[in-house]
Each structure stands twice: as C-alpha cells, then as structure tokens.
Amino acid sequence: MKNSLHTTTLADQAEEKIIEYIKEHHLVPGDALPNEMQFSEMMGISRNVVREAMSRLRMLGLIQSRTKRGIVVTEPPLLNGFSKVLDPQLLSINTLKDMMGMRLALEIGITDFIFANITNVDLKELDEIVARQKAIGINNLSIEDELKFHLKIYEIAGNQFIMKFQELMHPVFVFSKQNYENYFQPINRKLQEENKIITHVDILEKLKNRDAEGYRNAMRMHLHPYWEFLYNYTEK
Amino acid sequence: MKNSLHTTTLADQAEEKIIEYIKEHHLVPGDALPNEMQFSEMMGISRNVVREAMSRLRMLGLIQSRTKRGIVVTEPPLLNGFSKVLDPQLLSINTLKDMMGMRLALEIGITDFIFANITNVDLKELDEIVARQKAIGINNLSIEDELKFHLKIYEIAGNQFIMKFQELMHPVFVFSKQNYENYFQPINRKLQEENKIITHVDILEKLKNRDAEGYRNAMRMHLHPYWEFLYNYTEK
DNA sequence: AATTCCTATTTGTAGGACAAATATATTTAT
DNA sequence: ATAAATATATTTGTCCTACAAATAGGAATT
C-alpha cells in the first residue's frame, strides 16, 4: 500500500479514469456511464474503490446514479466543491486576502453589466433597501443590510455564477470583518474625519444618474477599508 | 434503500457530519480527526460509507490521511473541485455565458490592482510578449499568444486565487472561441471596418501611460466580441 | 542517551453478501 | 389488441470480514 503524500491511491486513479472516460467518449449530460462492476473489471480493482471515485464525482455533481438504471452524466453545478471548502477557519490570511481581492475585482468589474441591465424597478428596490437600513457605528451597517444592498447589485448584473460565487464568499467577509475589526475601525475613523466615507446612498445616486465612472469610483471608495486591509495588513 | 434524487445517501450524511465536526470542534489545519472506525461507530454506519465521505473530503483537499497517524485537517486549495468540473463539453450555453461574464468582470475589475502593482520590469516583459506575438486573421492571435499576454496581466494583479481561477477557465474560452467562431468572425470584421479593433499594443500603451481609465476602456473594447456574444448570441 | 527492534493501530484494498429500487419482460385482464 | 398487473433481472447502496502496508510509540538493547 502506497500512502505517502506524493502517491496516488487507486481511488484517485479511478476518479481520473472515469473523468477521462467521459471526455474521450464525448459524453454529455444524459449519457450513461459503464456501471460500477464494469469499471471495476476494466481497471482490475475492487468495486469499493470504484465506488469511492464515483462518490466523489457524485458529490461534485458530475454524475447521478440510480438503482438499475446505472450512472448518468449530468451538467455539474460549478461550485459544489468550492462551497464545501470555504470555511474561513481553515483559510490562511493570504487566502483571505485573495478572497477579498476577488470580491473587490468583481464588484468593480460588474459595473458595465449593471449599467447595461439596470431598470427603474431596480432603482426603486434599491431605494427601499437603502431607506430601511440602519447605521451601526462608523461606516458600518448590520451584516444583513450590507448584504441586501450588494446582493441586489449582483442580481442586476445578471450573472448566475457571479451571484452564487458571491453568496458563497459572503461568510468569509463576515468573518474577516469581525475577526479583524480592530484593524478596520481606525481606518473608518480616519475616513470619517476626512469626510471620505461613501455610503450606499452615494452609490445609489451614481446609479440613478447613470454615471458608470462615478459609480466605479464610489464603489472603490466604499470598499476602501478592504483594499487597505489587502495591501497593508500584516499579522502581529 | 432510499435512492431518489431528493434523498441523501449515508455517504452524503457522513460527509456533512464530518464537515460539521470540523466546524464545531474548531479544528484548524494540522488538527486530527477521529479515525474511520470511530466515525463509523459514532454514526452507526459501516466503515465503507465513512470512507466514501472521507474520500470526497480528501479529494477536495480538506483532509489528508496517513496510515496509523489517522486523518488530519489541511488548508484546502479552494479550486480542487472546480477544476474537475469545468469540462466545456458538459456546460450549457448559459453557463458558458456566465463564465465569459466572469472573465470580463475580472479582467476589468483587476485594473486597480494592476496599476497599484505594475513595475517597469513588468512593462518590459509585456513589451517582449507583444513583440513576439503573430496575428492570425482579424483581431485574432494564436491561443498561446493571447494567453501569454493576459496571464502576465493577471500575474501583475498579484492575486493567486484569481490567477488560478483564470488558468482553469482558459480552456473554456478556447472552446468557446472555436465552437462559436462563426459568431465571432462577422463581429470582428465589422469592428475592423469601423477601425475599432483594440489590440494588446493599445492596451500596453495605456499601461505605460499609467492611464487606468484608458486601460479599462481599451480592455473593454478588446474583449468586446465576448460582450456581444454574452448579450446577443442565441442558439439557432 | 541513542539506537534498534517490536507491537499495535490505522488506512488502503479486496471480495462477498443482501436489501431496495426499478427497467424490462411476461403474464393477465379488459 | 391494448392496458394493467406481475415477475425477473440488474444495479446501486450498505454492511461485513479479512489482510497488507505503513508507521507511531513503546520496549529492548547497546
């Protein structure tokens, strides 16, 4: 039994083989795969091992299996694995920073989509969201208020994947915000002293004026504390 | 045995339980997990099923197991699952569009990072990349030339996650470009007639001038065909 | 105190068994 | 002849036992 970090188990090989099989046979969602025993015999390994591999692919959403029918390929949700792995507790500070960078890039990057898609109904909804939100401290809303506004923004962008992605990353941001509160507080205080705080109200104004460039700048400023964190925070 | 699409198998439950265990016990990378038999007894299920669950988590990179030592939590690479699932053959047209949107958003969204990080050495490298590339048809380079330029851009942005993400998405773009060539060609021809084609040379110019706004516009225009595809392509 | 050896534990793999589901074939009823 | 009910065979999901290989930790030796 090989077991070191650099050797692959039979399950790893089986997994690879099955994926390979799908690609080589140009299988598409709906197509059937050989059943467990057939793979077991094809590879000369026990059914248990094949099942481990299948179990992985099932988890990823690449396949579905049903008694008697066997195993069929399905269109996988792209983020099944990602969603299980995003525990902030397990992530290094560098990974957290990367996640933040991703969020900043996306939030600025979807600007063009937003302005291409936004309707008056959307603006009205945003109006209501902003009207209902309540301030908690400096440049800080409740997690829920913050989420509601930004989720609506993402919704307007109209990209399911980005939407899902953000949803999954959200707990990471909540964690960071709380875990590094001491770092964010003075930044926000300074912003306030310099009168540079940009709130959802300001951002919404840019949307109403259909001012994409202004929106980007406003959003950049709104997220400035994260930018600061990303570039300047170091541990201890 | 429950087996319909809406029921969970024991392996699903075991997987959930183990993840739950990690969270509830606040385990961090390096910490040990109960071994297979213990989970088996804890849950009143067979070791086989526990192994299926562990196999999944091992694939995601959440855990590592070694003989005798047992199972330890590890910091997971975030995109292990994503990488196995990104087979363009399996993705619907809408998912492909979402991926393209993601790419557009990211490529525009990292602008601020790029201008915060870029050095003269980077510019020199980009110069060389651009100098070596060769045109193939209208607004078209070889896959490799195209990749080299954009990868370097991502590298400058300095975000490992985004970098990895783009690397994984690249084959999807290659696929789309080839698969929908007929759609892209007339768009590029029209752009050429209107003299609106923006090449890597133009983009590089903006970088050299430290013109972020100009860069964003240039990149937007450079990627315009994808934008077109995203908003206007329909099947048949 | 350092080294070697031994032992017990744990994962990785194999193979057999059976229940539950269900596609397909067969029989029965209308 | 068609529809409904039944039987059959197949396949996944689960459980069990067994053993090899690795190895952590203790025991024995130098």
Side-chain angles (χ1 to χ4, degrees), chain A residues 35-47:
Chain A
N35 65 38
E36 295 174 355
M37 275 314 283
Q38 287 171 313
F39 265 114
S40 166
E41 281 158 19
M42 275 166 55
M43 298 189 60
I45 59 181
S46 81
R47 193 182 146 219

Side-chain angles (χ1 to χ4, degrees), chain A residues 1 3 15 51-52 55-56 67 75 84 90 92 95 98 109 112 117 159-161 213 220 231, chain B residues 1 3 15 51-52 55-56 67 75 84 90 92 95 98 105 109 112 117 159-161 213 220 231:
Chain A
M1 182 182 68
N3 198 15
E15 180 202 318
R51 279 191 61 77
E52 274 192 33
S55 191
R56 296 174 178 188
T67 312
E75 181 182 355
K84 308 203 177 192
L90 302 182
S92 70
T95 305
D98 273 3
D112 292 331
N117 299 345
N159 186 311
Q160 293 280 307
F161 181 82
E213 190 46 26
R220 200 187 341 267
Y231 269 100
Chain B
M1 181 184 69
N3 198 15
E15 180 202 319
R51 278 191 61 78
E52 274 192 35
S55 190
R56 296 176 178 187
T67 311
E75 181 182 355
K84 307 205 177 190
L90 302 182
S92 70
T95 304
D98 274 3
D112 292 331
N117 300 343
N159 186 310
Q160 293 280 306
F161 181 82
E213 189 47 26
R220 203 189 337 269
Y231 269 101

